[in-house]
Amino acid sequence: MDIDEAGLQRKLKLNELEEIRNEAYDSAMIYKDNAKTFHDRMIKKKDFVVGQKVLLFHSRLKLFPGKLRSRWLGPFVITHIFPSGAIRIKGIKIDKEFTVNGHRLKPYYENFVEPNVEETSLIEPKASEFLEIV
């Protein structure tokens, strides 16, 4: 085997390896773009208004979570909404005001009362009861 021919073969293999590497890089970029668009589609837009009551996600609880412990703090009242998505909230019990990311908040629904609901028995009436009704 000639040294020049071996060198040429080696250069061809290196070029081929570089092409494979570039294709893998391109396909990884396409995959990441698709994953990002899918993730962005699944994010629900939260619309808050000033004066609305919200709950704040307690992110430090992830380290030592209690089984039945709530991960939400609050309620808080929104005092200012920034265009960047940050929201200034104020505690109801504590008179402290601070700014948080809007993704860490969710609406607080207080005193949720179900409307009057008519109850219906699923047990079939006996024949004698049916005759009394009719």
Side-chain angles (χ1 to χ4, degrees), residues 113-129:
V113 179
E114 290 186 32
N116 293 337
V117 178
E118 181 181 328
E119 292 185 16
T120 304
S121 175
L122 298 176
I123 301 172
E124 291 188 31
K126 296 177 184 173
S128 60
E129 293 174 2

Side-chain angles (χ1 to χ4, degrees), residues 46-56 75-82 85-92 96-102 104-108:
K46 297 178 185 177
D47 294 324
F48 296 111
V49 293
V50 174
Q52 181 181 1
K53 290 185 180 179
V54 293
L55 295 175
L56 174 66
F76 297 93
V77 177
I78 296 176
T79 58
H80 188 274
I81 300 174
F82 297 97
I87 297 177
R88 180 167 287 145
I89 59 176
K90 180 180 179 181
I92 293 176
K96 187 176 180 184
E97 199 171 297
F98 50 96
T99 305
V100 296
N101 190 337
R104 294 180 58 200
L105 299 175
K106 74 175 181 179
Y108 173 72

Side-chain angles (χ1 to χ4, degrees), residues 34-48:
N34 290 340
K36 183 183 181 332
T37 55
F38 178 76
H39 177 266
D40 290 346
R41 269 189 299 164
M42 292 299 160
I43 294 176
K44 294 179 181 174
K45 179 76 173 152
K46 297 178 185 177
D47 294 324
F48 296 111

